[in-house]
Every structure is written in structure tokens, then in C-alpha cells.
Amino acid sequence: MSNPYKDAGVDVESGYKISKFVKQNTSDKSANIGNFGGMYEIPEGYKQPVLISSNDGVGTKLLLTENGNLDTIGIDCVAMCVNDILAQGAKPLYFLDYISTGKIDDKVKHILSGVIEGCDQAGADLIGGETAEMPDVYGENNYDIAGFSVGIAEKDAILRKENVKDGDVLIGISSSGLHSNGYSLIRKIFFKDNDFKLDSKLPELGDKELGETLLTPTKIYVKDVLPLLSDKLVHGIAHITGGGFYENVPRMFSNDLAAHIDVTRWSKDEIFDVVQKYGNLKNDDMYHVFNMGLGMILAVDPVNESKVLSILNQGKTHAWPVGKIVKRRTNPVELMGV
């Protein structure tokens, strides 16, 4: 029996298999996957709950998965959404993904495995999504991924710019590497200007292949930071994403304040020195584009500095006091040691 839709390049049965795969690999709260909309009951115990949403993708980092290393890119997508929600002082509740490709096959399962892992790290439920087979828009091996997440906070616990005060201490939390920003520049430096390959081994990176380092997934900060939010120990959070320090740090405080940051106060992953060396980039350029080893910067009362550092440094996460909030004189971000 002929199938006109399949003959046109779209196999709806493959989409049904993906839904079944997600249901088999997620919690009971994914039971509504396959319905027309994802459902989520607002948790009890909130007096004035506010829902905070974020959507994002992973940019051109996904082009580095052409070697078949697809298992971590879904983590990146979750991270880019939930970290933004966390920066507002909210707890991520649920996540939905959107994957479009020229052909739905096993690569989608690998991508979704990363999404499922990312949701687990974030303590968020995967309640739905969409996988679209779009021949002629994408080649069979090409794809794109985007995500949407919702979190919740008490209205009076939302991190607002006016919460950050002159004299607050800035605490930086380690990143896992480049995260998911600046990859158009990264690809130009390594694969166009220097003609490296994904399996190239650079002496500065030891035994790791270049592709393995570049595909290190974005760190998800939810489990590190939520205890601090619960104890009201944080005045503001900057998620250091695209635009680096100069664009993101000022987003957490008012225009009359500035951040003084000493860039010698924390250790950076070797990948940043490698990028700067092979890209022939100035120090200032690096801080305009990349997270430079700090995925999040928190503003806290000096009285709570030791407590916050103690909580953050209990596990594998590393955190350092990196600066302070001062009255603004010129620029909103002043980097010492650049």
C-alpha cells in the first residue's frame, strides 16, 4: 500500500517511536508526552507564585557533532534555559524540547538522551516536545535543537536589580569550559584559520582530542545554587553566556552600580588559553565573548561570603571571591588584571 507522505520524505512512524523512547526513559511525570500539550500542576506551598520562562538553543556548537558525538548536546540545550531561570531566583520545574531534522533516526535518540540527562541534573521534568522531520529544509544528517523551560519563585524572592547593593561581594562559580557560546568564532579559529580537525590533539590539551574538549557540556548550576536561594543568601546572579562579562554582569544590578572584578582570583580551564593563542585574541576580546572559567557570578552580602563559599565548595564545584559591587564612576564592569 502506497504512503504519499512517506514518499514525500516524511515518516510519521519514526516520530511515534521517538515519543515511545522518551516515555520509556523518563519519570511518571512524562505520562502526558504524546498529547497535544504538556501539563504540569503548580506545586503547593507558594503564597504568591511567579512563573519564569526561558527558551534557547545551542547555536553553532551543534555543528561539531558531525562526528556522531551527539550525547551531550541535549545537556547544553537544557542548561542554557534552566541557568537563565536560576539567575532570576527561580527553581526550574519543567522543560520541553524542539528538534528538527531532515530524517528522524537514531541520532534523535542520542540527542534526547542528553536532554533527559540535562533535565535530571536540573531537577526538571521533561513534559513534552516536538520532533519534526523536514526534508529539503535539512539534509538527512542535519538538525537543530531548541528548548523551553519554566521555573517558579515566590514573588518576593525574585532576584531584582535593586537587591544588589554597593559593597556586595562577587563570588564566581567555575564553568565546565566554553559552555555553548562563541562557537562561530571557535569554529573559525580552529577549523578555518588553523585547519585542525575534531580528532586533532593539541599539546596544550594533553590526551584529549580537540572535539572532545569543545563538546564538553554546559554546566547546570541548579543543584549548587538552589540551597543558597532557599536560605536567601544571594542578592543577584549573572549567568555568563553570550557577550561574556561585559554584557551579562551588569544585567544583575542597577545603572548606578558597577562590578570590580579581579581576573587573577580564579583558575581557568586550559581551553581559554588555547583559544586565545590560536585565535591571536586580545585579553579584552576574550572577556567580551567567553565565560573565561566562570559560568555564574553571584552578588552576596559580605556577612554571608564565607557561608556561601563553604556551601559551593562542598562538592566538585569550585567558587572564589572575585570582586565587589561599587558605586559606578565610568563603566559598569571594570576588570583588573586584564
Side-chain angles (χ1 to χ4, degrees):
M1 183 177 180
S2 66
N3 186 327
Y5 206 11
K6 189 173 183 178
D7 293 342
V10 178
D11 183 2
V12 294
E13 292 295 329
S14 59
Y16 302 152
K17 292 177 183 177
I18 293 300
S19 293
K20 184 178 180 181
F21 169 80
V22 174
K23 287 182 178 181
Q24 290 173 339
N25 288 275
T26 51
S27 68
D28 292 340
K29 292 191 177 180
S30 68
N32 65 77
I33 287 177
N35 292 337
F36 289 104
M39 297 177 285
Y40 196 95
E41 187 173 348
I42 295 177
E44 296 180 354
Y46 288 88
K47 297 177 181 178
Q48 288 185 290
V50 176
L51 298 179
I52 297 176
S53 308
S54 177
N55 70 304
D56 210 337
V58 299
T60 60
K61 185 176 184 177
L62 60 82
L63 293 175
L64 302 187
T65 63
E66 61 187 17
N67 65 341
N69 190 352
L70 294 155
D71 295 333
T72 62
I73 204 73
I75 299 175
D76 288 300
C77 190
V78 176
M80 297 303 290
C81 295
V82 299
N83 285 343
D84 277 351
I85 287 173
L86 192 66
Q88 296 291 113
K91 174 186 177 181
L93 293 176
Y94 60 84
F95 181 86
L96 297 94
D97 65 89
Y98 175 81
I99 300 172
S100 50
T101 180
K103 181 177 177 58
I104 296 175
D105 51 24
D106 280 349
K107 70 175 174 291
V108 177
K109 291 182 180 179
H110 286 287
I111 296 167
L112 283 170
S113 294
V115 171
I116 292 166
E117 169 62 23
C119 287
D120 182 62
Q121 292 183 24
D125 291 311
L126 179 61
I127 66 166
E130 170 70 7
T131 304
E133 192 169 60
M134 301 169 64
D136 300 331
V137 175
Y138 300 92
E140 287 192 4
N141 295 320
N142 301 132
Y143 73 95
D144 196 6
I145 179 172
F148 172 80
S149 188
V150 172
I152 191 169
E154 286 284 11
K155 187 174 183 179
D156 62 4
I158 294 172
L159 299 181
R160 306 179 190 276
K161 291 186 176 183
E162 55 266 28
N163 295 358
V164 179
K165 307 297 182 185
D166 178 18
D168 277 354
V169 174
L170 295 175
I171 293 177
I173 311 178
S174 58
S175 68
S176 57
L178 294 167
H179 285 183
S180 298
N181 301 106
Y183 274 78
S184 292
L185 177 57
I186 292 296
R187 291 184 302 107
K188 178 179 182 294
I189 290 170
F190 289 121
F191 307 121
K192 295 179 182 178
D193 297 345
N194 288 280
D195 199 30
F196 292 127
K197 306 299 180 184
L198 288 170
D199 60 358
S200 295
K201 288 192 175 181
L202 280 59
E204 300 89 346
L205 298 177
D207 293 333
K208 280 188 175 182
E209 293 182 351
L210 178 60
E212 180 185 357
T213 299
L214 296 181
L215 284 171
T216 300
T218 305
K219 180 173 173 57
I220 292 175
Y221 292 92
V222 175
K223 293 179 181 178
D224 291 317
V225 175
L226 272 185
L228 304 177
L229 296 175
S230 297
D231 290 343
K232 300 187 183 301
L233 296 174
V234 180
H235 289 170
I237 298 177
H239 179 203
I240 312 303
T241 56
F245 281 59
Y246 291 103
E247 181 176 328
N248 292 291
V249 174
R251 296 169 70 178
M252 70 169 160
F253 51 75
S254 56
N255 291 333
D256 61 330
L257 298 175
H260 279 195
I261 298 174
D262 183 350
V263 303
T264 67
R265 298 297 299 274
W266 69 91
S267 13
K268 305 171 184 66
D269 191 283
E270 62 272 8
I271 187 59
F272 297 102
D273 290 334
V274 173
V275 169
Q276 186 169 11
K277 172 185 174 180
Y278 289 100
N280 194 26
L281 300 175
K282 298 177 181 177
N283 285 341
D284 201 51
D285 293 332
M286 296 293 292
Y287 286 89
H288 265 104
V289 179
F290 303 109
N291 68 63
M292 297 304 290
L294 299 182
M296 278 195 168
I297 297 178
L298 316 181
V300 305
D301 191 305
V303 173
N304 296 320
E305 176 183 347
S306 296
K307 185 175 183 180
V308 169
L309 287 169
S310 177
I311 293 171
L312 288 173
N313 285 316
Q314 285 178 356
K316 295 181 179 180
T317 297
H318 298 289
W320 305 267
V322 299
K324 62 181 179 179
I325 297 292
V326 299
K327 288 290 186 182
R328 180 175 176 177
R329 294 182 180 179
T330 53
N331 300 319
V333 177
E334 296 186 18
L335 302 181
M336 296 167 282
V338 172

